[in-house]
Each structure stands twice: as C-alpha cells, then as structure tokens.
Amino acid sequence: MGPTTTVALVVVAALLCCTEGFIGMNWGRMSAQRLLPSQVVDLMLQNGIRNVRISTTQSDILRAFQGSGINLSITLFNGNQPHNMSTARAWLQSKYHLLRVNNIESVHMGGGVYPFNWGGIFVPDYDVNWRGLNYVQAALNETGFGGKIKANIVHYSGELIPNITKPSDAAFLDNIKERMTEFLRFLRDNDAPFLVDFNPITDLERCGLDLSFAFPDNKSKLVINDINGAVYTNGFQWQYDCFVWALQKLNFSDIKIDVMTVGWPTDGYPGATSLNAERYFKYLLPMVISNQGTPKRPGVPINTFINSLADEPKMRTDVISPFNRHWGIYRSNGQPKFKIDLSGQGRDIYPTTMKGIMRMPQRWCVFSGNSTDTDKVRRQVERACAKGDCTTLAPAASCSNLGFGKNASYAFNVYFQTYFQDEKSCDFEGLSYITDQDPSTEDCLFPVEVVRGNQLIEFSAALALLWPLNIRGVVLLIVLYILGGFL
Ligand SMILES: *[C@@H]1O[C@H](CO)[C@@H](O)[C@H](O)[C@H]1NC(C)=O
Ligand SMILES: *[C@@H]1O[C@H](CO)[C@@H](O)[C@H](O)[C@H]1NC(C)=O
Ligand SMILES: *[C@@H]1O[C@H](CO)[C@@H](O)[C@H](O)[C@H]1NC(C)=O
Ligand SMILES: *[C@@H]1O[C@H](CO)[C@@H](O)[C@H](O)[C@H]1NC(C)=O
Ligand SMILES: *[C@@H]1O[C@H](CO)[C@@H](O)[C@H](O)[C@H]1NC(C)=O
Ligand SMILES: *[C@@H]1O[C@H](CO)[C@@H](O)[C@H](O)[C@H]1NC(C)=O
Ligand SMILES: *[C@@H]1O[C@H](CO)[C@@H](O)[C@H](O)[C@H]1NC(C)=O
Ligand SMILES: *[C@@H]1O[C@H](CO)[C@@H](O)[C@H](O)[C@H]1NC(C)=O
C-alpha cells in the first residue's frame, strides 16, 4: 500500500467511524399467524437486539416499540408513498406522536422493490419512490425531524455490473448512473447512509463465485486479491467493498453504507440449509461486532440487519424464488431453527424461545393413499398449494424427495394448517383424512400451526366487551386451561 492510499484510507476511516457497528433484525409479517408486536419487542429485548427494521408504519406496531429503547427503520410500503407534499404532511401529522416518542432512524420508500433495476419486473416504481423520498424528507425537515429521521431507499447487488471478481472492477450499471448520482446527492445533502440488501447465496452466484466464499470463517478455497494489496476471504467484505468502489467511481466516497438485510435461507434453494445458516452467522456476527471493517474501509463499523426474525409463508413466490419464505431464524411457530448468538460473540447457543406462543394440537391432514385417479390427486395438490406454502417441495428443498403419496400429504397438510386446522379444510374430494400420527420424515418437517396472534387479541377484546369482569375472569381461565392442554 502506498503512502497516499494509506492517508486516503485514514481520512475515510476518520470521516465514517466513531460509533460501534450493531446487529439489527428484520421483522416481516407475511405469515398466517402474525406474531403479536409485543411478543416481538419482548423477544428482541431478550436477545439484546436494539435495532429493528419493519416493513410497515402501522401505528399499533410503532406503539408496541414505544419506550423499548429499540431504534426502528420503518417502511412506507408499496402504494403508501406520498405523491405530493400535502399527502406527505398528512402522513407525518397522523404519525407525529409516534415518530416523536419512538427512535425512528429511517423511513424507507417501497418494500421489496428495487427501483433502479430497469431490467426488472418492478420498473415503474422509480418515480414514485424518488418523489416520495423528497416529499417525506421535506415534511420531516419542516417539523424539525430532519436531523434525526432520514427518508431513504434500499438498494441491492442487481444495480452493479454482473460477473466481476475484484471489487475494484465494480460499478453501477451504466443505465442507472445518472439517477444514482442524483440519488447520492440527495443522501449527501441529508446526511443519510447508502442502504443495501445482501443475499449472499444469489449475489455470489451472479458473479460466478464459489459458495464456500460466502462464509467468513477463512475456509474458502477462493481468495481474491485486489489492487493496493486488498485480500478478500469472504463474500460479505467483498460485496461491501464492491459498493464502496461503485460509490467512489461516482465520487461519493464519503457516503456511509449500512447493510439492511443479510441472511441465509434454510430451504427452497441449493445450499439453503439450517446448517449453512448456522455456520454463516457464527462467523459473520463476530466480524460485524469487531468493527474491523473491510480492506477498503478498515476499522469502519458496518451496521448489519439480519434477515430475518421468522419465516414468512405468505411471501409471494410468483416473482421471487421459493427461498424467500425461509429466511427466518425462527420457524413461523416460534421455534429457533439453528444456533445463533445474536450478541455477536459466536457462542454455540440458541436464541431465546418466543414467549406466549400457543401451538395448535399435534394433528395433520394427509392423503388417503387412493391413487386410482392420479390426475384428480394432482388437481387437489395444486389447489392446496395455491393457498398453502409448498416451497419446501421445490427442487433441492427439504421435502423434494417425498414421492407421490407423501408429496400429496405434505400439500394437504400445509393447506389444513394454513386454515388453522379447520376440519372443513381437510376436504380434498375424499382423498384425505386427519391423523395424530406425525408424517414427518428425517429431512422433511410436516408443520403444525400455532394459534394466530391477532385472533387471540380479537378474542379477548370480544370477551372484554361481552362479559362483566367476574364472569370474564372465569371464562378466561377456562380458555387458558383448554389452550394450555395444547402446549
Ligand atoms: C438509537 O438512536 C439514538 C439517536 O436517535 C442513538 O443515540 C442511539 O445510540 C441509538 N441506539 C442504538 C442501539 O443504535
Ligand atoms: C395529493 O395526492 C393525493 C393522493 O394521491 C390526491 O388525492 C390529492 O388530490 C393530491 N393533492 C394535491 C394538492 O395535488
Ligand atoms: C432537509 O434539511 C437538510 C438540512 O438542512 C437539507 O440539506 C436538505 O436538503 C433538506 N431536504 C429536503 C428534501 O428538503
Ligand atoms: C456471467 O458470465 C457467464 C459466462 O461467463 C454468463 O453465462 C452469464 O450470463 C453472465 N451473467 C450475467 C448476469 O451477465
Ligand atoms: C480470518 O483471518 C483474518 C485475517 O487474518 C482474521 O482477522 C480473522 O479473525 C479470521 N477469522 C476467523 C473466523 O478465523
Ligand atoms: C470524479 O472526480 C474526478 C476528479 O474531480 C473527475 O475527474 C471525474 O470526472 C469525476 N467523476 C464523476 C463520475 O463525476
Ligand atoms: C378411490 O378413488 C376413486 C376415484 O376418485 C374412487 O372412485 C374410489 O371409490 C376410491 N376408492 C376408495 C376405496 O375410496
Ligand atoms: C409434489 O408437488 C409439487 C407441487 O405441486 C410438484 O411440483 C411436484 O412435482 C410433486 N412431486 C411429486 C413427486 O409428485
């Protein structure tokens, strides 16, 4: 490394450093049973997580985080971005109290939409997000929130040129450079960071890099040497520096970068297993906490949000792959899938189990085994999979080797569980029955649902309205006794 580079590195480090990097958590709600916000807040506090990203600005959720000391990144989801200054002001007024009492760090425009990906399927959203961004930040400025809450848009690797090996070769795609420059100027004016989502498995694949390179445990066969003596032994630092280089090439080296999503799906894709997820986080999180930075930004802390808290079986898979339903550290029933030390010390421990989760009875809906009319069975499987989550049946997923009959059972059961074990939903034209014999195999778990969080709230609210206090107490005790039997 030459003296000029060293000086440049020190200057950049001095500009960007000062605080410690943190481990945050993504919490999405595309699941049937919908965890109660208070359960999630409790879980975050138990696990020492103090930064959470949510894909909503819903008031009941913001209210649950109030006073928790947890900092939030919130999202004006698709369709909710303001189209003019008056809607931006109206939105802000409606949330004014909650924005004041919570620590909101950023408000993101759009969710799961990468507005700069012109070749992609979500093309028209750029203008909506860009204008929304400006209106919201202007409204925040007007009310004095501007210094604290930053409007922003999250980016991803699809905006970089593909098939590069060295970070120094990275650059934003030619057709988005102009708008990216305009966007980066906005970030600089508002003193906001560049936010990016990482998906190690597919991002490395996009550049033809070996999967072993993803893991930050120094065991990769692949080691990438770049200019100025930079050495890359893992995909995280490599990818981070690809963005550092891309920003530098547009003359925005001063912009801080936060990783808003990084995780490892446990099903639905080659390499997507709990074992790999465990290995990935075991080495990633200590690296984040150590504030070692990257070869291009040594010593610069990297705020990193884990993707994600729990599986989301209702995530759409028509435009995104099946693995998107399997990002969770927890299954949708609140059980941790693998060991992960959320404090970043790399210990072999499970995260705290979710409190207040009530399981439905151990029963499953399965195929009768009558294969006289295989077309009929297939049609029923298709019907079940249109509503239930069958992504674990996809090629290379955990239940891809079941064979015809078990495959049908799997489909029927997810449908049944999606409808919270309603007997009427185990009706596939005489091809199914309900059983208490667990049909799971060694590799493939047949899920059992948990009692839906929102249902519980509605239920106790109804009780509160209908009965005087003393009777209500007795009824609640009976209900709890019955539910307790299911645990
Ligand atoms: C939360 O945000 C406040 C500023 O709004 C900051 O002082 C504090 O350090 C943040 N906490 C964490 C855990 O990031
Ligand atoms: C602002 O946008 C909203 C909703 O898109 C629309 O109903 C309203 O008329 C617009 N207001 C102005 C002043 O353009
Ligand atoms: C918000 O305020 C900051 C600081 O005064 C300013 O630089 C920025 O341009 C403002 N943003 C908008 C969108 O008005
Ligand atoms: C990357 O290169 C390979 C061959 O070298 C090619 O098949 C693939 O399409 C390229 N990927 C992209 C995204 O351009
Ligand atoms: C990998 O190697 C780097 C550089 O020698 C070192 O700082 C880091 O602690 C190592 N990580 C592990 C998990 O061994
Ligand atoms: C970045 O700055 C350099 C030096 O001022 C200049 O030569 C170059 O054209 C700039 N690049 C861009 C993309 O603006
Ligand atoms: C098996 O399915 C066929 C076609 O649906 C049906 O006609 C037949 O009665 C079924 N057999 C039994 C034993 O249920
Ligand atoms: C199992 O069901 C899925 C979803 O309908 C289907 O794609 C797959 O081909 C089936 N596999 C077998 C062995 O029937």
Side-chain angles (χ1 to χ4, degrees):
M1 232 184 277
T4 350
T5 342
T6 314
V7 169
L9 281 176
V10 169
V11 169
V12 169
L15 279 172
L16 296 168
C17 116
C18 291
T19 50
E20 309 259 289
F22 61 71
I23 297 167
M25 183 69 75
N26 278 269
W27 174 38
R29 306 191 81 220
M30 305 290 274
S31 65
Q33 81 287 353
R34 300 201 141 196
L35 302 170
L36 293 177
S38 56
Q39 283 176 323
V40 173
V41 171
D42 179 52
L43 192 67
M44 293 297 93
L45 294 175
Q46 300 265 349
N47 283 302
I49 297 285
R50 293 290 181 275
N51 294 271
V52 173
R53 175 190 181 192
I54 53 177
S55 48
T56 177
T57 65
Q58 220 172 291
S59 295
D60 62 321
I61 297 184
L62 296 185
R63 226 171 275 128
F65 279 95
Q66 188 178 321
S68 66
I70 291 172
N71 288 0
L72 286 175
S73 297
I74 61 179
T75 311
L76 277 161
F77 212 75
N78 309 330
N80 295 333
Q81 306 95 322
H83 288 75
N84 53 43
M85 222 27 233
S86 46
T87 36
R89 288 191 185 111
W91 172 78
L92 202 144
Q93 279 315 314
S94 72
K95 303 282 171 188
Y96 184 81
H97 174 71
L98 288 166
L99 296 185
R100 205 173 52 77
V101 296
N102 274 298
N103 267 334
I104 312 281
E105 304 235 296
S106 54
V107 184
H108 306 160
M109 300 302 127
V113 173
Y114 298 109
F116 291 83
N117 181 14
W118 297 111
I121 193 150
F122 299 116
V123 175
D125 289 285
Y126 175 78
D127 280 328
V128 172
N129 282 324
W130 170 247
R131 278 186 271 122
L133 183 75
N134 283 276
Y135 295 137
V136 169
Q137 190 64 58
L140 288 166
N141 280 7
E142 281 175 3
T143 43
F145 282 129
K148 191 178 153 212
I149 308 178
K150 311 294 179 183
N152 218 321
I153 293 176
V154 185
H155 298 269
Y156 86 125
S157 67
E159 295 162 358
L160 300 178
I161 51 175
N163 277 340
I164 56 127
T165 305
K166 293 180 177 161
S168 61
D169 288 336
F172 289 110
L173 293 168
D174 273 338
N175 58 349
I176 65 169
K177 273 186 182 158
E178 212 170 296
R179 291 205 151 182
M180 188 57 88
T181 304
E182 184 183 35
F183 174 78
L184 293 170
R185 214 173 284 133
F186 172 93
L187 291 187
R188 188 181 275 160
D189 288 348
N190 291 286
D191 192 22
F194 185 79
L195 308 180
V196 61
D197 280 354
F198 285 0
N199 175 354
I201 297 186
T202 54
D203 292 345
L204 294 186
E205 200 174 80
R206 193 168 175 272
C207 288
L209 301 178
D210 191 85
L211 197 62
S212 71
F213 186 62
F215 301 96
D217 56 4
N218 292 341
K219 294 205 177 106
S220 167
K221 284 167 278 183
L222 177 68
V223 172
I224 293 172
N225 293 292
D226 205 345
I227 56 175
N228 299 329
V231 180
Y232 295 91
T233 58
N234 67 78
F236 185 83
Q237 291 179 319
W238 173 87
Q239 195 170 2
Y240 187 92
D241 276 358
C242 284
F243 279 98
V244 176
W245 275 104
L247 290 178
Q248 178 176 322
K249 285 176 189 170
L250 294 181
N251 288 342
F252 286 92
S253 291
D254 54 321
I255 306 269
K256 189 174 176 291
I257 303 175
D258 284 349
V259 179
M260 296 310 291
T261 281
V262 65
W264 201 281
T266 58
D267 215 327
Y269 204 75
T273 64
S274 294
L275 221 58
N276 277 343
E278 184 171 310
R279 174 177 167 202
Y280 186 67
F281 287 119
K282 183 175 165 72
Y283 297 100
L284 177 76
L285 301 185
M287 192 169 84
V288 167
I289 288 301
S290 74
N291 296 320
Q292 70 188 72
T294 63
K296 185 103 173 112
R297 285 191 177 173
V300 176
I302 305 175
N303 296 334
T304 302
F305 287 78
I306 292 171
N307 194 33
S308 67
L309 183 65
D311 278 351
E312 295 179 81
K314 288 202 159 172
M315 189 81 95
R316 57 195 284 192
T317 52
D318 50 346
V319 287
I320 45 181
S321 329
F323 64 76
N324 279 295
R325 290 181 174 172
H326 304 281
W327 287 109
I329 289 169
Y330 294 88
R331 297 185 193 286
S332 53
N333 70 4
Q335 293 291 321
K337 295 185 202 164
F338 50 83
K339 291 182 193 135
I340 178 170
D341 182 354
L342 292 168
S343 73
Q345 297 172 67
R347 292 168 300 175
D348 281 321
I349 54 169
Y350 282 99
T352 316
T353 310
M354 280 190 204
K355 294 225 176 73
I357 294 277
M358 285 187 258
R359 287 227 222 179
M360 308 245 18
Q362 292 283 100
R363 51 181 205 159
W364 297 262
C365 174
V366 294
F367 173 49
S368 66
N370 181 349
S371 314
T372 317
D373 185 349
T374 49
D375 277 347
K376 180 176 159 189
V377 179
R378 271 197 200 98
R379 276 196 309 277
Q380 293 303 316
V381 167
E382 248 167 58
R383 182 168 76 84
C385 290
K387 279 278 189 284
D389 174 26
C390 290
T391 49
T392 39
L393 298 175
S398 61
C399 302
S400 57
N401 294 320
L402 290 180
F404 186 79
K406 274 257 175 189
N407 200 63
S409 285
Y410 190 92
F412 293 173
N413 182 59
V414 287
Y415 185 88
F416 177 62
Q417 303 294 343
T418 299
Y419 285 95
F420 296 97
Q421 302 194 358
D422 181 354
E423 282 84 357
K424 289 196 290 295
S425 68
C426 187
D427 176 13
F428 296 93
E429 297 189 12
L431 291 173
S432 56
Y433 63 94
I434 296 173
T435 176
D436 61 359
Q437 302 295 306
D438 188 349
S440 302
T441 67
E442 196 184 329
D443 301 323
C444 171
L445 178 83
F446 282 58
V448 171
E449 254 307 339
V450 297
V451 176
R452 177 168 34 181
N454 282 6
Q455 188 181 321
L456 278 176
I457 281 197
E458 286 152 16
F459 191 41
S460 43
L463 282 176
L465 284 175
L466 288 174
W467 283 294
L469 203 67
N470 52 344
I471 306 184
R472 206 198 312 159
V474 174
V475 174
L476 267 177
L477 274 180
I478 296 171
V479 168
L480 286 177
Y481 177 76
I482 297 169
L483 289 173
F486 296 159
L487 289 176

